[in-house]
Amino acid sequence: MADHPSERQLPHRRSFRFTQAITRRPAKSVSHGLREGAGPDPDAALFGEQHRAYVAALEKAGAEVVELPELEEFPDSVFVEDTTICIGDTAIVVRPGAPSRFGECEQICPTLKTRFTKVIDLPGDGFLDGGDVLLSDDTAFIGNSGRTNMAGLVALATLLKPLGYNPVQVNTPADILHFKTECGLLDERTIFATVKLASLGCFEGFRVIETPLGEEAAANIVRYNDVVFLSAGYPKSEALLREKGYDVVILDTSEAAKVDGGLSCMSLRF
Ligand code: CIR
């Protein structure tokens, strides 16, 4: 009768022990990518170089990487994380909240079908971006945001419960694009988060390491097997994470940042 998720044996460290990743080359049209502010356009050539380094770092961390070709008709398609939630042998294709990004999901589906036993669509008509979902081994933090609405959030929570996750709804502050823009998983019980996000109280039961003040943009880290990817330019965060014992790999994300992207957005990890 051990049927309740909490009584079931969950795959240990499924939140960061991975073997594979999917990325997509940045298109030249990334210079027209969505962004909140009115900053400079990313340089597509430099973005390409930074993306190559990102893929190489994933490979060094143990990933077999499927690198998909650029899609000029979708300027934000390099940010594959927003299209899919990957859990074990299941890929949940979501519905991004920005109309210009809807079509990205259809584009990634054929690849998902070669890698996952089950590829399912998010039920209903709600919206949800992968950037709003932070998974630990047993908890799914789902941010309600400008891109993810309650219908999308509830639909995902309903799918995740039988997979052993306790869904936690978080109301992402309005000035933060995605929930994970300001947090990332360091290990199965530890989260790196900005003071603003941590002060919401949503991480109860977890150890939180706060992103040093002034370095909020460093919070979007990626843990992949034994290493933690951190964006370049955040020396206090680097020192802090090293002091806490993490093996930190620095990657330049200057061009992704110009269109509100970061480290986690550029891959699906499973
Ligand atoms: C967008 O606004 O959709 C893109 N320019 C950035 C997406 C970043 N994705 C993420 O944080 N998961």
Side-chain angles (χ1 to χ4, degrees), residues 6 17 36 48 58 70 73 88 124 132 144 187 209 220 250:
S6 61
R17 290 275 163 228
E36 291 298 312
L58 279 169
E70 57 272 28
E73 59 276 43
D132 280 316
N144 188 6
D187 60 48
I209 298 180
N220 178 255
I250 304 291

Side-chain angles (χ1 to χ4, degrees), residues 33-34 76 79 81-82 101 131 147 177-178 181 259-261 265:
L34 296 171
D76 289 294
F79 302 119
E81 177 182 66
D82 293 319
R101 303 199 59 191
R147 298 287 178 85
L177 174 64
H178 288 128
T181 303
V259 276
D260 301 341
C265 331

